Amino acid sequence: MNTMLIHCLFLGLALALSHSAPPNLDMMMADMGHDHSHDGHDHAHDGHDHAHDGHDHASQGHAHVHDGQDHVHGVTGHDHVHDGHVHHHADHEHVAQIDRCEAVEFDAIVPDASGVPLFFKGDFMWRGFHGPSELINGSYKELIEQHAELGKINAALSMIAEDSDKHVFFLLNDKVFSYHDQTLEAGNPKAFSEVFPGIPKHVDAAVECPKGECVRDTVIFFKGCEVFHYETQTKKVKSSHWTHMPNCTSALRWQNNYYCFHGNQFTKFHPVTGSVTGTYPKDARDYFMKCPNFGLLSNHTERERCSHVPLDAIASDGLERAVAFRGNYFLREDETHRDGWHASLVSEAFKEVQSDAEAVFSHARLLYIVKDNKVFAYKSGEQYQLVEGYPKTLQEELGMEGPLDATFVCGDYSILHVIKGQQMFDIELSVSPRAVVHEARLPFPKVDGAMCGPNGIRVFVGAEYFEYKTPKLLAYSRMRPQAHKITLEMFGCDH
């Protein structure tokens, strides 16, 4: 058992015996005659990755299972895995993948300059909430170049610098790498003590906390059960012990909430006090990534309501019931609006679609689902019934090719608004053959979904939605309205 763990366990025991909250445990330790050093010990996981067993290792004509990664070998040469790192040899080609839907403990999680969360493990990273792993050296090659000397990424955080742009900081051992638009800034890496004086090196996790959520602009560092609040302007450091919290291996500020990740779980905490409210820990695979074959025994409604994974599509189903699609599941709002949202399998209600709806809209009491250049039309009722003659091709039904990002119809109007990339096309549904009658450029580079209701239009982008009174305002407004949080304001979640 390492020194830090013993130290945290001791503090936890002392806290339990005193029946008091974590505030001034530093003084209690001093009174008891204990002196603890920040730099005199390292965590067992510094400098290496923890491997998970049980993945297939495929090569030319035979399979291997080891080290929690899927490997494909070329004809010649070989690879070695030491301490969770993949070592590449020049005499062969090597492609590796890690499935984060297995029990992955991330080294670091941080939003990039565009707000897309990046997840890091060993030599690999993931962009956003779904998709395969990729090698870090494709985006942050300097980090990999110094792996041999510095080890894995200890922590990462995103902060707005003096130039008013977001910069991403990676902490490796006793060095700090600052990136702007995936470009390493001049003079980097810098010594950890130069950038964050008073903070011990080899931290486990870090997260930014802007003024308003913390008293001043602050970075919160985690090292075992010790927590350090570093004020970026004054460089003052306040330390405390959060023995009630698990030891964080990564931390994330997302939608103004703060999350401590530990193993494959996470705990939401208050950034100043460390207090935890609600039922935690929760499994990260339920809320921070898209794992189609995971969570079959979990609460589907809780997961789908409160997942941070972007929606695939959303609409009214023709009976004033909103339906929101994500992967294998869809959420339907109770028609009385009293019981909230309930999740069901797409394959059970829409067996011809199965999963992963591309876009949905309702018109003339029918619900239309677009997937793979096909359009499925369903009669809405207690159960959804596929209309005879469907599916039809997208070209046959709407006179255009996919893929589509979003579709919506407002009320009893016969104009279908189709969003592809940054363009919105208006299609008149009352004529045949159907064709585009108007086109406009939107203020969003990409949207996930859109729907029209009694109060106007909601455009869904990532974890947020934006409201417009009319399609014309959506098409010609260049100022984005106030952003609303999907999980909090629409689905009623607390995280």
Side-chain angles (χ1 to χ4, degrees):
M1 185 178 291
N2 62 47
T3 306
M4 179 62 74
L5 181 57
I6 295 173
H7 179 62
C8 291
L9 289 173
F10 178 82
L11 285 172
L13 178 60
L15 178 63
L17 292 175
S18 67
H19 300 286
S20 60
N24 237 323
L25 281 175
D26 287 348
M27 185 178 297
M28 182 184 75
M29 291 295 294
D31 291 341
M32 296 178 71
H34 291 273
D35 181 21
H36 50 284
S37 169
H38 300 307
D39 297 317
H41 59 272
D42 291 334
H43 290 277
H45 59 265
D46 286 334
H48 69 274
D49 291 332
H50 300 284
H52 303 281
D53 295 327
H55 290 273
D56 292 336
H57 180 112
S59 64
Q60 299 281 343
H62 60 280
H64 304 284
V65 179
H66 67 86
D67 299 310
Q69 298 180 1
D70 299 331
H71 301 273
V72 179
H73 288 270
V75 176
T76 61
H78 60 281
D79 284 356
H80 298 289
V81 180
H82 298 294
D83 297 329
H85 294 287
V86 179
H87 300 271
H88 307 274
H89 294 266
D91 59 341
H92 72 285
E93 179 184 350
H94 181 94
V95 179
Q97 290 285 325
I98 297 178
D99 183 1
R100 61 175 162 178
C101 289
E102 300 296 334
V104 171
E105 180 176 86
F106 298 108
D107 298 332
I109 310 173
V110 64
D112 66 10
S114 301
V116 176
L118 307 177
F119 299 77
F120 295 87
K121 176 66 176 177
D123 291 349
F124 298 89
M125 61 178 283
W126 295 262
R127 298 178 187 275
F129 299 100
H130 59 88
S133 63
E134 59 186 80
L135 289 168
I136 296 175
N137 58 13
S139 302
Y140 304 99
K141 62 184 180 65
E142 296 86 358
L143 301 181
I144 296 300
E145 290 171 355
Q146 302 219 22
H147 257 199
E149 177 185 350
L150 300 176
K152 70 178 181 65
I153 298 171
N154 297 113
L157 62 136
S158 174
M159 289 195 300
I160 296 177
E162 293 179 358
D163 57 7
S164 298
D165 289 334
K166 269 195 175 181
H167 295 245
V168 178
F169 295 82
F170 294 96
L171 316 181
L172 279 73
N173 200 331
D174 59 351
K175 294 291 190 294
V176 176
F177 296 73
S178 177
Y179 283 85
H180 181 235
D181 290 335
Q182 296 186 2
T183 300
L184 186 67
E185 296 186 86
N188 280 267
K190 296 181 179 180
F192 188 91
S193 58
E194 176 187 351
V195 182
F196 300 111
I199 303 298
K201 62 183 180 179
H202 299 296
V203 296
D204 297 329
V207 65
E208 68 281 3
C209 182
K211 182 179 179 180
E213 295 172 21
C214 283
V215 178
R216 299 176 182 84
D217 289 335
T218 300
V219 178
I220 306 170
F221 294 94
F222 298 84
K223 188 178 176 74
C225 59
E226 293 183 276
V227 179
F228 304 87
H229 284 75
Y230 175 87
E231 295 181 359
T232 57
Q233 296 298 319
T234 65
K235 301 187 185 304
K236 291 181 179 179
V237 178
K238 297 179 181 178
S239 64
S240 56
H241 296 88
W242 291 356
T243 56
H244 62 291
M245 283 265 289
N247 288 359
C248 307
T249 55
S250 56
L252 173 68
R253 176 180 178 264
W254 185 252
Q255 295 288 288
N256 301 345
N257 289 323
Y258 292 80
Y259 302 96
C260 159
F261 287 79
H262 41 97
N264 58 290
Q265 298 181 313
F266 71 93
T267 297
K268 178 187 169 187
F269 66 93
H270 191 282
V272 177
T273 65
S275 60
V276 176
T277 57
T279 304
Y280 291 96
K282 299 180 188 289
D283 199 305
R285 291 169 290 183
D286 270 336
Y287 303 98
F288 285 94
M289 59 202 74
K290 191 175 182 179
C291 297
N293 298 318
F294 173 75
L296 297 178
L297 300 178
S298 63
N299 185 321
H300 305 312
T301 295
E302 161 72 12
R303 180 188 65 243
E304 295 303 324
R305 281 177 52 246
C306 302
S307 174
H308 295 289
V309 178
L311 296 173
D312 293 334
I314 187 169
S316 166
D317 70 352
L319 294 177
E320 299 185 357
R321 299 179 302 191
V323 284
F325 292 79
R326 182 192 290 114
N328 291 340
Y329 288 85
F330 74 100
L331 285 160
R332 186 171 70 182
E333 190 177 24
D334 182 81
E335 55 265 39
T336 65
H337 303 285
R338 294 175 182 173
D339 294 335
W341 298 80
H342 296 276
S344 302
L345 281 166
V346 175
S347 58
E348 292 180 355
F350 309 98
K351 65 178 185 294
E352 296 82 6
V353 176
Q354 286 293 309
S355 65
D356 300 309
E358 185 178 310
V360 294
F361 66 93
S362 62
H363 176 63
R365 296 181 69 84
L366 296 181
L367 178 66
Y368 295 82
I369 302 178
V370 180
K371 180 183 178 182
D372 298 335
N373 272 320
K374 293 182 180 179
V375 179
F376 302 79
Y378 289 90
K379 295 178 182 178
S380 298
E382 187 65 27
Q383 294 181 331
Y384 296 100
Q385 295 181 336
L386 186 68
V387 176
E388 186 177 352
Y390 285 86
K392 297 180 181 180
T393 67
L394 196 57
Q395 181 66 44
E396 179 185 4
E397 183 74 7
L398 299 180
M400 66 189 313
E401 295 294 333
L404 310 183
D405 292 323
T407 53
F408 66 94
V409 174
C410 288
D412 295 327
Y413 288 96
S414 59
I415 295 294
L416 171 66
H417 305 277
V418 177
I419 300 175
K420 294 180 63 174
Q422 204 161 357
Q423 300 298 114
M424 184 168 74
F425 305 90
D426 291 352
I427 297 176
E428 176 58 64
L429 296 176
S430 63
V431 301
S432 183
R434 292 163 177 168
V436 175
V437 296
H438 185 261
E439 182 178 343
R441 188 172 178 83
L442 301 183
F444 301 96
K446 178 86 166 58
V447 306
D448 298 307
M451 68 176 294
C452 193
N455 297 319
I457 300 159
R458 288 183 176 181
V459 178
F460 295 80
V461 181
E464 299 173 326
Y465 66 90
F466 302 84
E467 295 184 330
Y468 294 86
K469 288 294 184 183
T470 66
K472 187 174 182 179
L473 287 174
L474 167 61
Y476 295 107
S477 296
R478 290 297 166 257
M479 295 291 291
R480 287 191 185 185
Q482 178 184 355
H484 299 271
K485 298 177 178 60
I486 296 173
T487 57
L488 178 65
E489 298 179 61
M490 192 167 117
F491 291 138
C493 302
D494 66 346
H495 63 80

